[in-house]
Amino acid sequence: MHLTHQRGPLHDLPDSPEAYDAVLADVVEQALARLTPEGNLEHPDSVDDIGDTSLGITSLLALAWQRGKDPRLPEAVHRSLAFHLRERVYTEDNPGYPNLRVRNSGLPYARYTLATGAHPIGDWPSTVWALLQAVNVLDLADGLVDDTQRARLLEVARGYWRWLTEATFFNPQEAGNQAIGCVVGGLMLARQLPPPEGEPVRARALELYTDKIHAHRVRDRGALLPPEHGGAYDNNYGPISLSFLAQAHRISGEEIFAEDGDALARYIDARLTGGGFDNGGPRYSEQHSAFESVLGLRYFGARIGSDLGRYRCDSRWARHAVNAGGGVDGHFAWMLIWQIQDTTRWHREPSEAPVRHQLRAGTVSVAFDSHVTPTVVEAAGTYYLPAAVNRQHGHGPVTEGFLLCRPMGEVRVRDVRTAALAAKLVTKPVVGRDHVLRHLRSLYVTDGTTLWVTVAVEHFDGTPYLLAGLPYATDDGDRIRRTAQPGDVVSAGPLRLTHPQSAGVEHFDARSDMSQERAAFALAADPRGYGNPDEGWRHLVSSTALEADPAPGAPEGLSVFAVRYGGADDAEFTPVFETTPEGLRVRTEAFTAVIGDAAGDAHGEPELTLLD
């Protein structure tokens, strides 16, 4: 089975003016065929996330008219705008909405679900989206919208802003993408107002960003990130936040948006595999966005000089939001407008700078977590997640059921590159159940097609093994397919693929049709869509796992594990290990490396010498 939401890379979608005109032409024909006598452009099957969608399609029609002057569009825009102003602007409090600070304010808002009192929790983001659709229509109104309608729409947009920032708590769902979107709405609204009225709106938007978003960023993998639904990053919503930061910087010029966007972009670049696969987040563990991410990944990819467009998208939403039947939906239409208006081109080359939380070359990549333990290993087109044993997750030596990968002190990293190789040495102090402090040294070396992993630690009694990953997915053309088989993996010691012996969702068997995302939500405390799959996945007890026994011939006093991912099947893998005055020497068929002792250099930093 294929992963549902991760398909082709975003930068493979044509983004020329001609391609976008073709997209808009398709939207125009769908919209004109759908337009009801009342002016409604909503998809007839939509129920949720609906309050802004007719206005969203109106904004796309306005952009299409500005680009092509189709004579059919002015009347359609007039009728559909009148419908929104007449039928989709609510001023009476929605019964049950829990986040009001002022009751019966009379200010306009948009509903997530049109039925009174039905799922009102979504009204805050729906009003953000309605504000963004409104300011886009205002931006595109010249020569298209009459003065009376324009004045009414501007009045409603101001009311949306006041409802979001005065009548309710700001960002009640702790969702960074929604909060930054609200700020963007204020910045764009300010440009539509006379300066004496617009400047306070702009100042309030900047204040909200600084005090409510920037000041509350969450640290993950060395980066400070806008929190997303209570977590540091979500692989669906995080790139959408990046798009909002791009638009905020485009329209305001404020450096804070550029700096925060650069930080988020570098973080995404580090966690993303070379093939564009990613998983994890507090809301949607495996789901990826599509057109909603283009602006941010393209804009900041160019700024940081890296190929963020490798991010795999859900191509069903490649150009605009669609309903289950495939028809245009109008949701997030502002993102399509902004990406069409922005002229940045994709940066298609990887960054050459070493990154603490990633090793990447060619078709090989390793993404590391905050403890510099692998979160995704990519080699030979196969993606490996951290395996689980006895409720412990990671990549490292296991002795008597205890996994050694969680540091008890500072984690040190040394990156070395030669003409043909890229290497990362990670050293960390670890403590086992015996309370003995050991120094774990993990060496990752790649030539761009093969990954060699060597892990050395003070000798264990008993029968230790290396937990070397959970084979989870593999490239299948433009799609990613589930797998339970490792791709061309060999070990210096005996290697085996094990599967859980116990039943239940807390025992993840890669041979089943259960996806990581579905299992993670099943283990989460709250319902799917509200629960935190990252938190749920941490409840995993055991999983399918690659297990590698120690390599023969290790120097006295050391347990050494050596695994090769990818490479020719017939290539011999008999690494040799020697203790030298400089440290542990590792010789393989492709390189010689010397790993310095635990003391490192004069500053305690790990030493690594690499020869190809």
Side-chain angles (χ1 to χ4, degrees):
M1 57 181 269
H2 289 108
L3 298 188
T4 304
H5 301 281
Q6 302 201 29
R7 302 179 182 222
L10 274 171
H11 62 205
D12 285 354
L13 298 170
D15 64 345
S16 65
E18 294 77 15
Y20 285 130
D21 283 336
V23 172
L24 290 174
D26 175 58
V27 170
V28 165
E29 297 307 321
Q30 287 194 54
L32 293 179
R34 178 187 301 171
L35 185 65
T36 68
E38 297 79 18
N40 188 353
L41 286 170
E42 293 161 0
H43 194 288
D45 296 332
S46 292
V47 175
D48 296 340
D49 264 324
I50 191 174
D52 65 297
T53 58
S54 181
L55 187 59
I57 296 180
T58 302
S59 70
L60 293 174
L61 297 182
L63 178 62
W65 185 83
Q66 293 292 355
R67 291 169 71 89
K69 297 298 188 289
D70 185 329
R72 300 174 297 172
L73 296 182
E75 175 63 17
V77 168
H78 175 80
R79 286 170 55 195
S80 60
L81 182 53
F83 168 80
H84 180 83
L85 293 173
R86 183 181 67 251
E87 302 289 344
R88 293 296 179 258
V89 177
Y90 296 85
T91 55
E92 294 184 358
D93 293 352
N94 198 354
Y97 185 70
N99 299 312
L100 289 176
R101 299 174 62 201
V102 179
R103 291 198 179 276
N104 303 314
S105 68
L107 293 170
Y109 67 95
R111 285 188 177 175
Y112 175 79
T113 299
L114 300 181
T116 298
H119 203 80
I121 194 70
D123 289 355
W124 201 87
S126 288
T127 304
V128 174
W129 309 155
L131 171 60
L132 293 170
Q133 314 285 25
V135 292
N136 270 335
V137 172
L138 291 168
D139 270 352
L140 298 164
D142 288 349
L144 183 61
V145 176
D146 63 53
D147 290 345
T148 300
Q149 269 196 329
R150 189 187 188 284
R152 173 62 179 143
L153 181 60
L154 181 59
E155 177 188 2
V156 168
R158 293 179 72 171
Y160 285 154
W161 172 252
R162 290 190 59 200
W163 188 86
L164 291 163
T165 59
E166 298 175 21
T168 69
F169 289 97
F170 183 79
N171 190 22
Q173 295 183 20
E174 297 183 12
N177 75 97
Q178 298 172 10
I180 306 171
C182 182
V183 168
V184 170
L187 293 172
M188 295 184 70
L189 173 64
R191 302 191 308 175
Q192 300 294 332
L193 299 170
E197 300 173 34
E199 188 50 41
V201 173
R202 175 187 167 91
R204 177 63 173 149
L206 294 174
E207 178 186 44
L208 285 169
Y209 183 79
T210 301
D211 295 349
K212 299 291 188 180
I213 304 171
H214 177 83
H216 295 277
R217 290 173 299 162
V218 178
R219 185 175 296 279
D220 187 47
R221 308 187 195 193
L224 286 171
L225 311 170
E228 188 54 63
H229 287 284
Y233 176 82
D234 186 282
N235 71 342
N236 180 30
Y237 291 125
I240 298 175
S241 284
L242 192 65
S243 287
F244 281 129
L245 288 169
Q247 180 68 359
H249 186 243
R250 287 181 66 235
I251 63 175
S252 73
E254 293 290 337
E255 195 60 24
I256 190 172
F257 299 120
E259 292 172 353
D260 289 0
D262 287 349
L264 178 53
R266 291 191 179 98
Y267 171 88
I268 293 173
D269 193 26
R271 71 173 287 144
L272 196 61
T273 60
F277 169 78
D278 187 20
N279 75 301
R283 281 294 293 274
Y284 295 108
S285 188
E286 280 184 4
Q287 295 188 30
H288 276 204
S289 50
F291 77 98
E292 319 102 287
S293 302
V294 168
L295 175 65
L297 294 170
R298 196 174 65 188
Y299 188 85
F300 284 104
R303 281 185 57 91
I304 69 170
S306 194
D307 57 337
L308 296 183
R310 69 187 190 276
Y311 181 95
R312 292 199 185 238
C313 70
D314 189 337
S315 55
R316 296 168 301 177
W317 277 35
R319 297 304 196 179
H320 48 69
V322 296
N323 197 271
V328 62
D329 183 83
H331 191 45
F332 278 30
W334 19 269
M335 282 296 193
L336 177 58
I337 289 175
W338 299 341
Q339 68 169 277
I340 292 174
Q341 292 172 333
D342 179 55
T343 58
T344 306
R345 301 274 64 85
W346 286 112
H347 183 98
R348 295 180 176 269
E349 298 299 322
S351 172
E352 295 296 326
V355 178
R356 178 179 174 88
H357 295 95
Q358 188 189 62
L359 175 68
R360 181 185 173 201
T363 59
V364 171
S365 65
V366 185
F368 298 88
D369 65 14
S370 293
H371 296 319
V372 201
T373 298
T375 58
V376 184
V377 172
E378 172 195 22
T382 299
Y383 303 94
Y384 304 84
L385 303 180
V389 58
N390 292 341
R391 302 183 186 274
Q392 304 157 94
H393 303 184
H395 188 292
V398 178
T399 176
E400 297 180 349
F402 187 81
L403 171 62
L404 286 147
C405 69
R406 294 168 300 282
M408 183 63 70
E410 192 66 27
V411 180
R412 312 282 188 130
V413 177
R414 175 65 61 90
D415 283 279
V416 173
R417 289 182 181 255
T418 69
L421 300 170
K424 186 184 294 288
L425 173 63
V426 179
T427 65
K428 60 177 78 170
V430 294
V431 175
R433 292 201 191 280
D434 58 6
H435 291 242
V436 174
L437 179 70
R438 292 178 171 88
H439 296 277
L440 188 65
R441 292 176 287 173
S442 303
L443 174 65
Y444 307 85
V445 181
T446 182
D447 62 0
T449 59
T450 302
L451 174 68
W452 293 266
V453 177
T454 304
V455 178
V457 65
E458 287 87 347
H459 181 68
F460 296 116
D461 293 328
T463 55
Y465 63 89
L466 181 74
L467 197 64
L470 155 62
Y472 180 69
T474 188
D475 289 330
D476 184 13
D478 286 340
R479 300 293 300 275
I480 296 179
R481 178 171 46 84
R482 279 287 309 282
T483 188
Q485 295 298 319
D488 300 330
V489 180
V490 295
S491 169
L495 180 71
R496 57 193 168 271
L497 181 67
T498 66
H499 302 287
Q501 298 302 303
S502 302
V505 71
E506 68 273 20
H507 303 281
F508 187 82
D509 191 328
R511 297 170 299 180
S512 74
D513 62 1
M514 176 69 76
S515 69
Q516 185 273 342
E517 180 185 58
R518 286 172 54 211
F521 270 118
L523 291 167
D526 297 305
R528 181 179 176 88
Y530 302 95
N532 183 336
D534 274 2
E535 188 177 86
W537 188 251
R538 284 192 283 270
H539 294 297
L540 199 68
V541 175
S542 64
S543 74
T544 293
L546 274 173
E547 299 177 357
D549 286 345
E556 184 178 358
L558 288 179
S559 290
V560 180
F561 308 87
V563 178
R564 186 182 70 194
Y565 301 79
D569 289 338
D570 57 353
E572 184 179 2
F573 186 58
T574 54
V576 176
F577 311 100
E578 303 172 84
T579 298
T580 71
E582 293 77 26
L584 175 65
R585 178 182 291 141
V586 180
R587 289 204 306 258
T588 74
E589 73 280 11
F591 64 87
T592 298
V594 178
I595 304 171
D597 63 27
D601 64 12
H603 302 287
E605 295 299 324
E607 295 180 317
L608 175 62
T609 303
L610 184 65
L611 301 173
D612 51 29

